[in-house]
Amino acid sequence: MRALIQRVTSASVTVNGQIIGSTGPGLLVLVCAMQGDDAARADALAAKIAKLRIFTDSADKMNLSVQDIGGSALVVSQFTLAADTRSGNRPGFSAAAPPDEGRALYEHFTQSLRAHGVPCETGRFGASMQVALTNDGPVTIWMDV
């Protein structure tokens, strides 16, 4: 699985003009299930993100996790993280899991992140979404498992 993690002071996702999920302070997690991914990879990614120390402590060092600060996460599915741009000008997305598998792994990942004590709100799988955020730092981390 692949994720782009952003430390945020706030983030929200809107569908058809209505905010359907929000967070802050905490994490915006854009996540993509890739071909060959399974529940074990989703669990590993969730565990890693829950413990990722990217929040600052009293000495202004990145030593705290989202769990440590009592933060939450907004988890948004984003198959475009699977983009292959090596040839031509139009990205290919064949490395992404098929939609049914992607949805199941996205939902499993979100439940696993919750099981690690991180409150989560979500976007809507497959929907056209508008994501707003205030990146804190900025801190943006790319992660593959």
Side-chain angles (χ1 to χ4, degrees), residues 75-99:
V75 181
V76 178
S77 62
Q78 188 168 357
F79 80 94
T80 59
L81 291 177
D84 181 353
T85 59
R86 290 177 286 185
S87 67
N89 294 316
R90 184 173 183 260
F93 302 104
S94 61

Side-chain angles (χ1 to χ4, degrees), residues 56-69:
T56 56
D57 63 14
S58 59
D60 205 30
K61 301 288 183 199
M62 286 199 291
N63 279 326
L64 303 175
S65 70
V66 67
Q67 295 169 316
D68 295 330
I69 68 156

Side-chain angles (χ1 to χ4, degrees), residues 102-118:
R103 178 189 305 270
L105 287 168
Y106 165 69
E107 291 171 357
H108 185 90
F109 166 80
T110 302
Q111 288 301 325
S112 186
L113 194 57
R114 287 179 179 132
H116 283 283
V118 180

Side-chain angles (χ1 to χ4, degrees), residues 2 13 38 52 71 77 103 108 127 130-131 137:
R2 180 171 288 170
V13 61
D38 57 18
L52 188 64
S77 62
R103 178 189 305 270
H108 185 90
Q130 292 73 50
V131 178

